[in-house]
Amino acid sequence: MTETIIFYMLTAVILLSALGVVLLPGLMHSALCLGLCLAGVAGIFASLGSDFVFAAQILVYVGGIAVLILFVVLLAGSASDKIVRQVNDQWLPSLLICAAFFWAFLKITGYFSGIPAAAAPSPSVRAIAALMLGDYAVPFELISVVLLASMTGAVLFGRRKAQ
Amino acid sequence: MTLSYYLALSGLLFTIGLFGVLTRRNVIGILMSIELMLNAANINFVAFNRFLYPGQYAGQLNAIFIITLAAAEVVVGLALVMAIYKNIKSVYVEDYNILKG
């Protein structure tokens, strides 16, 4: 019972703040809604019993990406953004495409209806560490190379041109 | 709580993000909508791991990889946005036509 109540509360937070991200005209409000939505997704991870993903979501998404997007909104905004229209003319075809996608998702969801949770969740940090340094060692190292490359690229794009 | 509730939630979140990608004019808004879509995929990974493969952790590990790749993606994307903004002083995607010959 408690799990159901928590799920519906988190769902309401996630979906309303996601609609705020997409529909609010002010980009600052959108970025704040994005932070709230990511925190709600972290709550879903916690209710699914995956503690390490929950911590990583809070650290990387809420603490890193949302703040980074907020900084870029502050740097790249201008006063005219409040009066300029923020959506394009294609909202009706977009709505139809989204309706088609959602219909397909609902059909797929029907195949998985009625599968209950098998057991109570257990702490997963130790098992994930064993996987990261065992079977998944090569993807783990590749991810660190990708992070290093993206960091170098960001520094390269962000620096001032040499005179 | 069964698996289908979580799948429906992630489907709705993905659809909202897709709508944002298709209708936003602001490039930072498009990046934020892409983050929503990545989060929907992460919910799917963790939910399938919890309900279909209890005792195994590859789904959660994939979610962590996706979080890391999303961080890399948003860093490079925002650096590109700032580099373009320094040149043409606009964040609206209709103005991004400097590659046109």
Side-chain angles (χ1 to χ4, degrees), chain A residues 71-88:
Chain A
F71 268 107
V72 174
V73 169
L74 293 177
L75 284 174
S78 68
S80 68
D81 287 345
K82 294 221 168 165
I83 48 175
V84 173
R85 205 161 48 96
Q86 293 289 328
V87 292
N88 56 22

Side-chain angles (χ1 to χ4, degrees), chain A residues 26-37:
Chain A
L27 210 56
M28 188 73 193
H29 296 149
S30 287
L32 292 175
C33 278
L34 179 73
L36 186 62
C37 180

Side-chain angles (χ1 to χ4, degrees), chain A residues 103-118:
Chain A
W103 179 78
F105 285 143
L106 277 189
K107 296 297 275 187
I108 297 169
T109 303
Y111 291 117
F112 294 100
S113 61
I115 297 178

Side-chain angles (χ1 to χ4, degrees), chain A residues 3-4 7-8 11 14-15 18-19 21-22 24 27 30-31 34 37-38 41 44-45 47-48 50 52-53 57 60-61 65 68-69 72-73 75-77 81 84-88 91 94-95 98 101-102 105 109 112-113 115-119 121-122 124 127-128 131-132 136 139-140 143 146-147 150 154 157-158, chain B residues 1-26 28-29 31-33 35-36 38-39 42-43 46-48 50-52 54 56-58 60-76 78-83 85-86 91-92 94:
Chain A
E3 197 185 350
T4 313
F7 175 78
Y8 281 118
T11 302
I14 289 172
L15 292 182
L19 281 176
V21 172
V22 172
L24 280 182
L27 210 56
S30 287
L34 179 73
C37 180
L38 298 175
V41 173
I44 285 285
F45 290 155
S47 77
L48 280 167
S50 50
F52 189 67
V53 186
Q57 173 91 5
V60 178
Y61 262 117
I65 292 178
L68 196 64
I69 288 178
V72 174
V73 169
L75 284 174
D81 287 345
V84 173
R85 205 161 48 96
Q86 293 289 328
V87 292
N88 56 22
W91 64 270
S94 312
L95 205 62
C98 290
F101 263 84
F102 187 63
F105 285 143
T109 303
F112 294 100
S113 61
I115 297 178
S122 57
S124 61
I128 286 179
L131 274 181
M132 262 187 193
Y136 285 80
F140 183 62
I143 282 288
V146 167
L147 269 182
S150 72
F157 281 125
Chain B
M1 281 288 97
T2 59
L3 176 56
S4 52
Y5 288 85
Y6 291 96
L7 295 189
L9 166 64
S10 105
L12 267 174
L13 189 57
F14 185 89
T15 313
I16 292 173
L18 183 66
F19 186 74
V21 170
L22 290 176
T23 56
R24 274 272 182 188
R25 285 180 66 217
N26 200 315
I28 306 170
L31 275 175
M32 288 196 276
S33 305
E35 295 305 313
L36 293 184
L38 286 169
N39 268 282
N42 267 346
I43 291 177
V46 177
F48 274 113
R50 165 98 166 88
F51 285 93
L52 293 186
Q56 300 178 35
Y57 298 96
Q60 297 184 23
L61 195 60
N62 271 305
I64 290 167
F65 284 158
I66 291 177
I67 288 175
T68 318
L69 281 180
E73 173 252 333
V74 82
V75 163
V76 174
L78 290 179
L80 277 173
V81 166
M82 286 314 291
Y85 181 76
K86 271 193 285 191
V91 288
Y92 296 110
E94 300 97 358

